[in-house]
Amino acid sequence: MKSKSIALILFLAVFLNSCSAVDDLLTFTISNQASIQIKSTFPINLPSEIITPDVTTNSSAEFANNKTKASLVKDVKLKSLKLTITNPADKTFTFLKSIHLFISTTDSDEIELAYQDNINETTNMIDLICTDKKLDQYIKSDKYKIRTQVTLKETLTKDVTVKADMKFKVTADPF
């Protein structure tokens, strides 16, 4: 009886390790970018909405490059979302109190993607806190929308352009 238990434990350990190894082989990253324009006319200490143009995904090509297809994708999560001020070049994030980004498609409800509150950055780049929402339907889509909610803590004298670099972790089934 004891040898059967040990054999079963060994079998389960090998099986679980092999599943993890297969998932690692079928996991890859998709990167997308969006540009966010923060207007100098936004009020201070009040949330303001910014709608970006649709972000076109190249997910079909990315899936093909990684030897899979949309129907085999089983899990997509946001791995990182980095914001970088691209204009004006000398601007830092000291003007920003909070930022929340949401994702949606014409076929899917809007969900929060990433956020940062109580921002005290003196650089032109910040990493947002990613939610753990499942994003399969958004990344499988041809395009999605990003809606941004910002709260300013100081008046802007110029519009500020921010680039959002998004990295999505994608895991697919083998067949």
Side-chain angles (χ1 to χ4, degrees), residues 1 8-9 29 146:
M1 183 67 170
L8 179 62
I9 290 171
T29 301
I146 297 289

Side-chain angles (χ1 to χ4, degrees), residues 22-23 25-28 63 66-75 170-175:
V22 169
D23 272 357
L25 289 173
L26 299 171
T27 299
F28 55 95
F63 297 153
N66 287 281
K67 298 179 181 20
T68 192
K69 52 188 172 183
S71 62
L72 296 176
V73 171
K74 67 177 184 176
D75 190 37
V170 179
T171 304
D173 277 330
F175 359 80

Side-chain angles (χ1 to χ4, degrees), residues 79-163:
K79 185 173 163 181
S80 69
L81 200 153
K82 183 178 294 201
L83 300 180
T84 307
I85 297 175
T86 58
N87 192 34
D90 61 342
K91 190 70 177 164
T92 67
F93 279 104
T94 55
F95 70 94
L96 198 57
K97 184 176 185 177
S98 69
I99 187 164
H100 291 252
L101 275 71
F102 302 86
I103 188 170
S104 65
T105 67
T106 53
D107 300 328
S108 304
D109 292 337
E110 180 181 80
I111 60 171
E112 189 166 24
L113 192 59
Y115 65 95
Q116 187 69 267
D117 291 316
N118 303 315
I119 298 170
N120 289 315
E121 294 295 325
T122 57
T123 64
N124 71 336
M125 186 174 58
I126 58 172
D127 289 311
L128 299 189
I129 299 165
C130 301
T131 64
D132 63 349
K133 307 279 183 170
K134 193 171 171 130
L135 303 169
D136 306 23
Q137 58 194 348
Y138 303 93
I139 298 306
K140 289 179 185 180
S141 177
D142 293 335
K143 58 187 174 183
Y144 56 82
K145 287 191 182 310
I146 297 289
R147 181 178 64 87
T148 307
Q149 182 182 53
V150 296
T151 303
L152 304 182
K153 61 182 170 186
E154 63 184 54
T155 303
L156 293 175
T157 56
K158 292 183 185 178
D159 292 351
V160 176
T161 304
V162 177
K163 178 178 69 169

Side-chain angles (χ1 to χ4, degrees), residues 38-55:
I38 302 172
K39 300 286 186 187
S40 59
T41 56
F42 283 167
I44 297 175
N45 289 323
L46 291 174
S48 300
E49 304 290 321
I50 304 167
I51 306 290
T52 62
D54 286 353
V55 176

